[in-house]
Amino acid sequence: MTEAAAVEATSSHTPLDTAAASVLAPSRTAIDASVRPVVIGLFLTATVWLLLSTLLGALAAVKLDHPGFLNFSFLTYGRLAPAAENTFLFGWCGTAALGVGAWIIARTSGRVSPGQPLAAFGAVLWNGGVLVGLVATLGGWLRPLNGLEYPLASYVMLFAGLALFSTWVLLTFNDEEHHSLAAMFIMAAFLWLGLSLLTGNLLIATNSVTGVVQQIVAAWTAGAVSRLFLVPIALGTACYIIPKVSGAPIIAGSFARVMFWMYFICAGLSLAAKVPGDLLPLWLGATAASASILIVVPVAALVYILFASASAGHHGAGSPSLRFTIFGCGGLVLSSLLIAFSSIRSVDSVLRFTLFDFGVHSLLIHVSVTMVLFGAIYYMMPRLSECEWLSSSLISFHFLGAAYGSSMAVGMLLLSGLAAGEAISEGASSFEQVMEVGSSYFWGNSISFLLVLAGHAAFGLHFLLMALKIGQPAGEPTLLRAGSEH
Amino acid sequence: MSHSGIIFPGIIACFAVSLAATVIIPNSQLGSLSPEIKEEDGRFVDAYPVADLSLAARGKEVYVSQGCQSCHTQVVRGNDTADVERGWGVRKTVPRDYLFENPPLVGAGRLGPDLANVGSTAWRNEPADDPYKPVKRDAAWQMLHLYHPTAVSKLSNMPSYSFLFQKHRIAGSGDKDALTNLPKTLLPEDGFEIVPSADVKALVAYLLSLDRSHSLKEAPAVAASAPAHK
């Protein structure tokens, strides 16, 4: 492929964009202008949360190996780990997902978004919820609900922000046309997250469910944030970005829609698997484990379809968006395979409660979803800020840190979990011996975080320059070295 | 209706199925549990579990606030497992164990040992020749463990919770709760003593209250209640 073709494919005027634009529809420039302040604001705050949560995550990783390091009450591992994870989940992934989702809905609907103040207020509330959650968790006002550690006040703000923001997206959503797969995934994700946050927190806060059912509801709600909001947003984003960049439409559209529904049914039934089997009714444990295994089918099928589209296209060589998105999609398949693997009863009995669980979660969120979100931001920002990324070297460095650093951290967590799981299954070994085996990989995890932090810092700097409209003087799309993306 | 026109009703239907299967039906099964009451000749003998309104209840709040559940589980898995063999409990933990816990502190992971029965005298089966095997894990041992974990468990990866203690100048005969079992290396300078805060006293009361070895119909004890062979 020639450089010129690649430039055409990744510039803001792709052939598909042109074909999609109706004569009567508002221009892409007008659509982008209608979402610009809110979406750039969301990306800016998401980047701040990304850097902060990665820093806290790095500190937590160091503390695994050196528990006495910075030993203050607000920085104990017990508070730091949930604070870092939830802030990464809601602050970075959630905030960026709101921005990406809103822009793609505006573009696919071909409508100028009305009511920006509504969205802006929603975004402020959402970010306020993250701030309250982070401060409260570090301050010790956390809930002992796995994945829902932020206090209730934080979830009230997150839900209120999401409700306002979703209303804005709904006003933009064109319900009359035949929707793209991307729009279906994104609207479904917004709807599920709202329903889930509301129902789950209400059930727990009002003690409508008690005892172990509270943990089941927590697993159902927290799991929905990952599997029914962030993963669908990532899949929907990939469904939008890959055809746009590669220049080839998604093949097997009807089959992909069947996989869409299969994904939501399986993911919706898989969430209780996060609760230990002995605490669940037998049928529920079996259903959740089976659904966790079946998820592999729609995820692998959808990613295969996306990869086929990427390879069928004649554009996109050197596109940073494509490189990040494809890496993230590959991670989604690997994550779903590992989730299926760890759902097998005999495997679960060995690996449950080890760092293997956190490794799989990290692969899903810190690698897969995160890389797709980066890919989307690399694609969207030149269109929103009307300037091109300044440096391909910074993007390459970011990819190095984000992709390889995060993958290395995941690898260390998985290996540590496997080693500790095997040792803990031997009743003859003392717990101290178990931890000694598992901790052999902690240093690698800490080093990986340094790489991740450096990569994300490069992205933060680059994004700031972009927000200030400091980009390529020539206005040419910034490409990585052509042909090196696969 | 076009295929895409069913997004909202379709997703709401999927959500309803997920809610029913994961929450509503399990809640109808598990939410109706009650304490198991033992009677002999029509007379009440005992009930398990019972609601805890004591200092331990405050200690549970401290446990949560310090994030202990990030590293410690409170669930013994299975009967024929390493959990039981290791002495973490005499039987598996079941939903009835958490009857009065809203929410139960199941825990996120095991970077430290399971604490479901840490208050039981039979907790853990360290080998008899383990130099760090304590005579008993009483309040004094728990206090020292929280103050300086490696003083009682050389390989412990738990951080010190020394910030829950205060160093006081000794007044009169000294504070009755001051730590008296500190090793020489941790002793404060002459004239001072290490005194646990109200929070840490509550936390220790909570830890010592954790004993789920009561045999239940659905989970009879499978291990001896006294320490096993190692």
Side-chain angles (χ1 to χ4, degrees), chain A residues 383-426:
Chain A
R383 290 152 178 82
L384 287 168
S385 68
E386 294 173 324
C387 101
E388 298 292 340
W389 294 97
L390 181 66
S391 161
S392 63
S393 302
L394 267 178
I395 300 175
S396 295
F397 183 74
H398 176 213
F399 186 83
L400 182 80
Y404 301 127
S406 300
S407 301
M408 195 171 136
V410 166
M412 292 294 161
L413 290 170
L414 295 178
L415 288 172
S416 171
L418 284 168
E422 193 182 355
I424 208 169
S425 307
E426 297 293 330

mmCIF file of all heavy atoms in Angstrom, chain A residues 383-426:
data_model
loop_
_atom_site.group_PDB
_atom_site.id
_atom_site.type_symbol
_atom_site.label_atom_id
_atom_site.label_comp_id
_atom_site.label_asym_id
_atom_site.label_seq_id
_atom_site.Cartn_x
_atom_site.Cartn_y
_atom_site.Cartn_z
ATOM 1 N N ARG A 383 -10.167 14.745 14.479
ATOM 2 C CA ARG A 383 -11.434 15.237 13.940
ATOM 3 C C ARG A 383 -12.076 16.259 14.873
ATOM 4 O O ARG A 383 -12.756 17.176 14.426
ATOM 5 C CB ARG A 383 -12.379 14.052 13.695
ATOM 6 C CG ARG A 383 -11.901 13.204 12.527
ATOM 7 C CD ARG A 383 -12.322 11.753 12.624
ATOM 8 N NE ARG A 383 -11.868 11.024 11.440
ATOM 9 C CZ ARG A 383 -10.634 10.537 11.292
ATOM 10 N NH1 ARG A 383 -9.735 10.685 12.241
ATOM 11 N NH2 ARG A 383 -10.308 9.894 10.182
ATOM 12 N N LEU A 384 -11.873 16.069 16.180
ATOM 13 C CA LEU A 384 -12.482 16.976 17.151
ATOM 14 C C LEU A 384 -11.672 18.261 17.324
ATOM 15 O O LEU A 384 -12.228 19.341 17.447
ATOM 16 C CB LEU A 384 -12.626 16.276 18.511
ATOM 17 C CG LEU A 384 -13.725 15.212 18.590
ATOM 18 C CD1 LEU A 384 -13.581 14.392 19.859
ATOM 19 C CD2 LEU A 384 -15.100 15.851 18.535
ATOM 20 N N SER A 385 -10.346 18.115 17.361
ATOM 21 C CA SER A 385 -9.535 19.306 17.616
ATOM 22 C C SER A 385 -9.046 19.937 16.319
ATOM 23 O O SER A 385 -8.412 20.984 16.341
ATOM 24 C CB SER A 385 -8.345 18.959 18.507
ATOM 25 O OG SER A 385 -7.455 18.140 17.797
ATOM 26 N N GLU A 386 -9.335 19.280 15.203
ATOM 27 C CA GLU A 386 -8.954 19.774 13.871
ATOM 28 C C GLU A 386 -7.457 20.040 13.780
ATOM 29 O O GLU A 386 -7.014 21.053 13.241
ATOM 30 C CB GLU A 386 -9.770 21.025 13.523
ATOM 31 C CG GLU A 386 -11.249 20.694 13.360
ATOM 32 C CD GLU A 386 -12.121 21.918 13.180
ATOM 33 O OE1 GLU A 386 -11.810 22.940 13.801
ATOM 34 O OE2 GLU A 386 -13.094 21.824 12.430
ATOM 35 N N CYS A 387 -6.710 19.145 14.378
ATOM 36 C CA CYS A 387 -5.266 19.175 14.183
ATOM 37 C C CYS A 387 -4.743 17.746 14.335
ATOM 38 O O CYS A 387 -5.447 16.896 14.892
ATOM 39 C CB CYS A 387 -4.626 20.187 15.126
ATOM 40 S SG CYS A 387 -3.854 19.609 16.584
ATOM 41 N N GLU A 388 -3.593 17.445 13.781
ATOM 42 C CA GLU A 388 -3.094 16.065 13.769
ATOM 43 C C GLU A 388 -2.092 15.843 14.897
ATOM 44 O O GLU A 388 -1.420 16.773 15.339
ATOM 45 C CB GLU A 388 -2.437 15.765 12.409
ATOM 46 C CG GLU A 388 -3.395 15.872 11.227
ATOM 47 C CD GLU A 388 -4.473 14.793 11.190
ATOM 48 O OE1 GLU A 388 -4.279 13.749 11.846
ATOM 49 O OE2 GLU A 388 -5.503 15.011 10.526
ATOM 50 N N TRP A 389 -1.996 14.596 15.356
ATOM 51 C CA TRP A 389 -1.081 14.263 16.450
ATOM 52 C C TRP A 389 0.350 14.717 16.103
ATOM 53 O O TRP A 389 0.803 14.544 14.977
ATOM 54 C CB TRP A 389 -1.088 12.762 16.715
ATOM 55 C CG TRP A 389 -2.407 12.276 17.223
ATOM 56 C CD1 TRP A 389 -3.419 11.716 16.504
ATOM 57 C CD2 TRP A 389 -2.877 12.331 18.574
ATOM 58 N NE1 TRP A 389 -4.493 11.408 17.306
ATOM 59 C CE2 TRP A 389 -4.190 11.769 18.595
ATOM 60 C CE3 TRP A 389 -2.340 12.790 19.774
ATOM 61 C CZ2 TRP A 389 -4.948 11.667 19.762
ATOM 62 C CZ3 TRP A 389 -3.092 12.680 20.943
ATOM 63 C CH2 TRP A 389 -4.384 12.129 20.932
ATOM 64 N N LEU A 390 1.049 15.241 17.100
ATOM 65 C CA LEU A 390 2.346 15.862 16.855
ATOM 66 C C LEU A 390 3.431 14.858 16.466
ATOM 67 O O LEU A 390 4.195 15.078 15.540
ATOM 68 C CB LEU A 390 2.785 16.644 18.120
ATOM 69 C CG LEU A 390 4.111 17.372 18.034
ATOM 70 C CD1 LEU A 390 4.032 18.501 17.007
ATOM 71 C CD2 LEU A 390 4.519 17.936 19.384
ATOM 72 N N SER A 391 3.480 13.742 17.186
ATOM 73 C CA SER A 391 4.659 12.888 17.029
ATOM 74 C C SER A 391 4.316 11.409 16.937
ATOM 75 O O SER A 391 3.668 10.856 17.836
ATOM 76 C CB SER A 391 5.591 13.125 18.236
ATOM 77 O OG SER A 391 6.492 12.069 18.378
ATOM 78 N N SER A 392 4.774 10.776 15.865
ATOM 79 C CA SER A 392 4.548 9.327 15.743
ATOM 80 C C SER A 392 5.423 8.574 16.750
ATOM 81 O O SER A 392 5.076 7.488 17.194
ATOM 82 C CB SER A 392 4.827 8.856 14.319
ATOM 83 O OG SER A 392 6.173 9.075 14.002
ATOM 84 N N SER A 393 6.564 9.175 17.124
ATOM 85 C CA SER A 393 7.435 8.514 18.107
ATOM 86 C C SER A 393 6.745 8.411 19.463
ATOM 87 O O SER A 393 6.845 7.401 20.159
ATOM 88 C CB SER A 393 8.737 9.295 18.280
ATOM 89 O OG SER A 393 9.383 9.405 17.052
ATOM 90 N N LEU A 394 6.038 9.492 19.850
ATOM 91 C CA LEU A 394 5.323 9.453 21.125
ATOM 92 C C LEU A 394 4.237 8.380 21.092
ATOM 93 O O LEU A 394 4.010 7.677 22.074
ATOM 94 C CB LEU A 394 4.686 10.818 21.418
ATOM 95 C CG LEU A 394 5.493 11.807 22.257
ATOM 96 C CD1 LEU A 394 4.729 13.125 22.420
ATOM 97 C CD2 LEU A 394 5.842 11.238 23.621
ATOM 98 N N ILE A 395 3.573 8.254 19.945
ATOM 99 C CA ILE A 395 2.520 7.224 19.833
ATOM 100 C C ILE A 395 3.154 5.834 19.927
ATOM 101 O O ILE A 395 2.639 4.949 20.617
ATOM 102 C CB ILE A 395 1.729 7.370 18.513
ATOM 103 C CG1 ILE A 395 1.053 8.747 18.441
ATOM 104 C CG2 ILE A 395 0.674 6.272 18.401
ATOM 105 C CD1 ILE A 395 0.337 9.032 17.126
ATOM 106 N N SER A 396 4.276 5.648 19.243
ATOM 107 C CA SER A 396 4.967 4.350 19.294
ATOM 108 C C SER A 396 5.396 4.029 20.724
ATOM 109 O O SER A 396 5.258 2.900 21.188
ATOM 110 C CB SER A 396 6.207 4.357 18.401
ATOM 111 O OG SER A 396 5.826 4.505 17.070
ATOM 112 N N PHE A 397 5.915 5.047 21.421
ATOM 113 C CA PHE A 397 6.357 4.832 22.801
ATOM 114 C C PHE A 397 5.160 4.484 23.687
ATOM 115 O O PHE A 397 5.233 3.604 24.547
ATOM 116 C CB PHE A 397 7.067 6.095 23.329
ATOM 117 C CG PHE A 397 7.606 5.915 24.723
ATOM 118 C CD1 PHE A 397 8.734 5.134 24.942
ATOM 119 C CD2 PHE A 397 6.975 6.499 25.807
ATOM 120 C CE1 PHE A 397 9.222 4.942 26.233
ATOM 121 C CE2 PHE A 397 7.456 6.316 27.101
ATOM 122 C CZ PHE A 397 8.578 5.537 27.305
ATOM 123 N N HIS A 398 4.050 5.175 23.442
ATOM 124 C CA HIS A 398 2.835 4.895 24.201
ATOM 125 C C HIS A 398 2.397 3.444 23.961
ATOM 126 O O HIS A 398 2.052 2.722 24.899
ATOM 127 C CB HIS A 398 1.715 5.864 23.781
ATOM 128 C CG HIS A 398 0.402 5.571 24.442
ATOM 129 N ND1 HIS A 398 -0.802 5.790 23.824
ATOM 130 C CD2 HIS A 398 0.121 5.055 25.658
ATOM 131 C CE1 HIS A 398 -1.768 5.432 24.651
ATOM 132 N NE2 HIS A 398 -1.253 4.977 25.761
ATOM 133 N N PHE A 399 2.432 3.023 22.709
ATOM 134 C CA PHE A 399 2.027 1.642 22.390
ATOM 135 C C PHE A 399 2.937 0.648 23.112
ATOM 136 O O PHE A 399 2.472 -0.344 23.680
ATOM 137 C CB PHE A 399 2.083 1.416 20.872
ATOM 138 C CG PHE A 399 1.553 0.065 20.467
ATOM 139 C CD1 PHE A 399 0.193 -0.140 20.314
ATOM 140 C CD2 PHE A 399 2.408 -1.012 20.271
ATOM 141 C CE1 PHE A 399 -0.309 -1.387 19.967
ATOM 142 C CE2 PHE A 399 1.925 -2.262 19.928
ATOM 143 C CZ PHE A 399 0.561 -2.448 19.760
ATOM 144 N N LEU A 400 4.214 0.957 23.095
ATOM 145 C CA LEU A 400 5.185 0.069 23.759
ATOM 146 C C LEU A 400 4.835 -0.100 25.241
ATOM 147 O O LEU A 400 4.746 -1.218 25.760
ATOM 148 C CB LEU A 400 6.595 0.674 23.618
ATOM 149 C CG LEU A 400 7.733 -0.144 24.201
ATOM 150 C CD1 LEU A 400 8.120 -1.248 23.236
ATOM 151 C CD2 LEU A 400 8.948 0.751 24.480
ATOM 152 N N GLY A 401 4.610 1.036 25.913
ATOM 153 C CA GLY A 401 4.308 0.980 27.345
ATOM 154 C C GLY A 401 2.956 0.360 27.619
ATOM 155 O O GLY A 401 2.821 -0.529 28.468
ATOM 156 N N ALA A 402 1.932 0.833 26.880
ATOM 157 C CA ALA A 402 0.566 0.388 27.161
ATOM 158 C C ALA A 402 0.372 -1.085 26.793
ATOM 159 O O ALA A 402 -0.197 -1.854 27.569
ATOM 160 C CB ALA A 402 -0.428 1.262 26.399
ATOM 161 N N ALA A 403 0.846 -1.458 25.622
ATOM 162 C CA ALA A 403 0.593 -2.830 25.157
ATOM 163 C C ALA A 403 1.518 -3.831 25.848
ATOM 164 O O ALA A 403 1.054 -4.781 26.477
ATOM 165 C CB ALA A 403 0.777 -2.904 23.648
ATOM 166 N N TYR A 404 2.807 -3.580 25.739
ATOM 167 C CA TYR A 404 3.751 -4.572 26.268
ATOM 168 C C TYR A 404 3.865 -4.493 27.792
ATOM 169 O O TYR A 404 3.971 -5.522 28.464
ATOM 170 C CB TYR A 404 5.107 -4.426 25.584
ATOM 171 C CG TYR A 404 5.001 -4.618 24.091
ATOM 172 C CD1 TYR A 404 5.493 -3.686 23.197
ATOM 173 C CD2 TYR A 404 4.346 -5.739 23.569
ATOM 174 C CE1 TYR A 404 5.370 -3.861 21.819
ATOM 175 C CE2 TYR A 404 4.215 -5.922 22.200
ATOM 176 C CZ TYR A 404 4.727 -4.983 21.328
ATOM 177 O OH TYR A 404 4.586 -5.153 19.977
ATOM 178 N N GLY A 405 3.863 -3.258 28.336
ATOM 179 C CA GLY A 405 3.944 -3.113 29.790
ATOM 180 C C GLY A 405 2.744 -3.761 30.469
ATOM 181 O O GLY A 405 2.887 -4.556 31.391
ATOM 182 N N SER A 406 1.529 -3.444 29.971
ATOM 183 C CA SER A 406 0.313 -4.012 30.568
ATOM 184 C C SER A 406 0.281 -5.524 30.388
ATOM 185 O O SER A 406 -0.119 -6.257 31.296
ATOM 186 C CB SER A 406 -0.942 -3.407 29.935
ATOM 187 O OG SER A 406 -0.965 -2.032 30.123
ATOM 188 N N SER A 407 0.685 -5.983 29.213
ATOM 189 C CA SER A 407 0.668 -7.433 28.965
ATOM 190 C C SER A 407 1.649 -8.141 29.892
ATOM 191 O O SER A 407 1.367 -9.236 30.392
ATOM 192 C CB SER A 407 1.041 -7.739 27.511
ATOM 193 O OG SER A 407 0.145 -7.100 26.651
ATOM 194 N N MET A 408 2.794 -7.490 30.118
ATOM 195 C CA MET A 408 3.793 -8.092 31.011
ATOM 196 C C MET A 408 3.237 -8.161 32.439
ATOM 197 O O MET A 408 3.382 -9.175 33.129
ATOM 198 C CB MET A 408 5.061 -7.235 30.972
ATOM 199 C CG MET A 408 6.284 -7.895 31.541
ATOM 200 S SD MET A 408 7.698 -6.819 31.163
ATOM 201 C CE MET A 408 8.539 -6.846 32.724
ATOM 202 N N ALA A 409 2.583 -7.082 32.854
ATOM 203 C CA ALA A 409 1.988 -7.076 34.199
ATOM 204 C C ALA A 409 0.954 -8.193 34.315
ATOM 205 O O ALA A 409 0.914 -8.920 35.315
ATOM 206 C CB ALA A 409 1.341 -5.720 34.484
ATOM 207 N N VAL A 410 0.134 -8.338 33.282
ATOM 208 C CA VAL A 410 -0.881 -9.402 33.278
ATOM 209 C C VAL A 410 -0.203 -10.773 33.359
ATOM 210 O O VAL A 410 -0.615 -11.635 34.136
ATOM 211 C CB VAL A 410 -1.766 -9.299 32.014
ATOM 212 C CG1 VAL A 410 -2.579 -10.566 31.810
ATOM 213 C CG2 VAL A 410 -2.686 -8.098 32.107
ATOM 214 N N GLY A 411 0.854 -10.942 32.559
ATOM 215 C CA GLY A 411 1.576 -12.219 32.557
ATOM 216 C C GLY A 411 2.101 -12.555 33.948
ATOM 217 O O GLY A 411 1.988 -13.692 34.417
ATOM 218 N N MET A 412 2.654 -11.554 34.638
ATOM 219 C CA MET A 412 3.186 -11.778 35.989
ATOM 220 C C MET A 412 2.071 -12.168 36.954
ATOM 221 O O MET A 412 2.238 -13.052 37.794
ATOM 222 C CB MET A 412 3.898 -10.507 36.491
ATOM 223 C CG MET A 412 5.163 -10.189 35.745
ATOM 224 S SD MET A 412 6.425 -11.455 36.021
ATOM 225 C CE MET A 412 7.520 -11.179 34.649
ATOM 226 N N LEU A 413 0.934 -11.492 36.841
ATOM 227 C CA LEU A 413 -0.193 -11.806 37.729
ATOM 228 C C LEU A 413 -0.702 -13.234 37.471
ATOM 229 O O LEU A 413 -0.995 -13.980 38.409
ATOM 230 C CB LEU A 413 -1.331 -10.800 37.518
ATOM 231 C CG LEU A 413 -1.075 -9.369 38.013
ATOM 232 C CD1 LEU A 413 -2.170 -8.424 37.537
ATOM 233 C CD2 LEU A 413 -1.001 -9.341 39.539
ATOM 234 N N LEU A 414 -0.792 -13.594 36.186
ATOM 235 C CA LEU A 414 -1.282 -14.939 35.849
ATOM 236 C C LEU A 414 -0.314 -16.003 36.372
ATOM 237 O O LEU A 414 -0.733 -17.000 36.965
ATOM 238 C CB LEU A 414 -1.453 -15.091 34.327
ATOM 239 C CG LEU A 414 -2.532 -14.213 33.662
ATOM 240 C CD1 LEU A 414 -2.545 -14.437 32.152
ATOM 241 C CD2 LEU A 414 -3.909 -14.502 34.235
ATOM 242 N N LEU A 415 0.984 -15.777 36.150
ATOM 243 C CA LEU A 415 1.983 -16.759 36.609
ATOM 244 C C LEU A 415 1.978 -16.858 38.138
ATOM 245 O O LEU A 415 2.039 -17.957 38.700
ATOM 246 C CB LEU A 415 3.379 -16.358 36.118
ATOM 247 C CG LEU A 415 3.623 -16.540 34.619
ATOM 248 C CD1 LEU A 415 4.963 -15.932 34.213
ATOM 249 C CD2 LEU A 415 3.588 -18.023 34.241
ATOM 250 N N SER A 416 1.897 -15.692 38.793
ATOM 251 C CA SER A 416 1.862 -15.692 40.261
ATOM 252 C C SER A 416 0.635 -16.458 40.744
ATOM 253 O O SER A 416 0.719 -17.262 41.685
ATOM 254 C CB SER A 416 1.823 -14.246 40.763
ATOM 255 O OG SER A 416 1.575 -14.229 42.137
ATOM 256 N N GLY A 417 -0.514 -16.223 40.097
ATOM 257 C CA GLY A 417 -1.751 -16.907 40.474
ATOM 258 C C GLY A 417 -1.654 -18.408 40.268
ATOM 259 O O GLY A 417 -2.078 -19.197 41.123
ATOM 260 N N LEU A 418 -1.075 -18.813 39.132
ATOM 261 C CA LEU A 418 -0.925 -20.245 38.851
ATOM 262 C C LEU A 418 -0.040 -20.911 39.902
ATOM 263 O O LEU A 418 -0.361 -21.979 40.428
ATOM 264 C CB LEU A 418 -0.320 -20.452 37.456
ATOM 265 C CG LEU A 418 -1.264 -20.235 36.265
ATOM 266 C CD1 LEU A 418 -0.478 -20.185 34.964
ATOM 267 C CD2 LEU A 418 -2.318 -21.340 36.202
ATOM 268 N N ALA A 419 1.093 -20.240 40.214
ATOM 269 C CA ALA A 419 2.037 -20.819 41.178
ATOM 270 C C ALA A 419 1.404 -20.902 42.564
ATOM 271 O O ALA A 419 1.462 -21.937 43.241
ATOM 272 C CB ALA A 419 3.308 -19.968 41.223
ATOM 273 N N ALA A 420 0.748 -19.788 42.985
ATOM 274 C CA ALA A 420 0.145 -19.779 44.321
ATOM 275 C C ALA A 420 -1.031 -20.756 44.375
ATOM 276 O O ALA A 420 -1.227 -21.437 45.378
ATOM 277 C CB ALA A 420 -0.329 -18.368 44.665
ATOM 278 N N GLY A 421 -1.800 -20.832 43.276
ATOM 279 C CA GLY A 421 -2.945 -21.746 43.241
ATOM 280 C C GLY A 421 -2.533 -23.188 43.402
ATOM 281 O O GLY A 421 -3.151 -23.958 44.154
ATOM 282 N N GLU A 422 -1.455 -23.542 42.721
ATOM 283 C CA GLU A 422 -0.964 -24.923 42.817
ATOM 284 C C GLU A 422 -0.492 -25.212 44.239
ATOM 285 O O GLU A 422 -0.788 -26.258 44.818
ATOM 286 C CB GLU A 422 0.189 -25.121 41.822
ATOM 287 C CG GLU A 422 0.547 -26.573 41.630
ATOM 288 C CD GLU A 422 1.733 -26.742 40.682
ATOM 289 O OE1 GLU A 422 2.200 -25.742 40.104
ATOM 290 O OE2 GLU A 422 2.196 -27.872 40.547
ATOM 291 N N ALA A 423 0.228 -24.226 44.822
ATOM 292 C CA ALA A 423 0.763 -24.430 46.175
ATOM 293 C C ALA A 423 -0.348 -24.460 47.214
ATOM 294 O O ALA A 423 -0.313 -25.253 48.153
ATOM 295 C CB ALA A 423 1.765 -23.322 46.497
ATOM 296 N N ILE A 424 -1.361 -23.611 47.021
ATOM 297 C CA ILE A 424 -2.415 -23.515 48.036
ATOM 298 C C ILE A 424 -3.309 -24.765 48.023
ATOM 299 O O ILE A 424 -3.981 -25.073 49.007
ATOM 300 C CB ILE A 424 -3.258 -22.222 47.825
ATOM 301 C CG1 ILE A 424 -3.831 -21.745 49.156
ATOM 302 C CG2 ILE A 424 -4.377 -22.428 46.834
ATOM 303 C CD1 ILE A 424 -4.430 -20.363 49.097
ATOM 304 N N SER A 425 -3.302 -25.472 46.890
ATOM 305 C CA SER A 425 -4.089 -26.705 46.803
ATOM 306 C C SER A 425 -3.461 -27.834 47.608
ATOM 307 O O SER A 425 -4.090 -28.864 47.840
ATOM 308 C CB SER A 425 -4.220 -27.167 45.349
ATOM 309 O OG SER A 425 -4.700 -26.126 44.579
ATOM 310 N N GLU A 426 -2.207 -27.644 47.978
ATOM 311 C CA GLU A 426 -1.519 -28.648 48.786
ATOM 312 C C GLU A 426 -1.680 -28.264 50.250
ATOM 313 O O GLU A 426 -1.034 -27.338 50.720
ATOM 314 C CB GLU A 426 -0.022 -28.689 48.431
ATOM 315 C CG GLU A 426 0.265 -29.105 47.000
ATOM 316 C CD GLU A 426 -0.104 -30.568 46.743
ATOM 317 O OE1 GLU A 426 -0.016 -31.360 47.705
ATOM 318 O OE2 GLU A 426 -0.498 -30.899 45.622
#
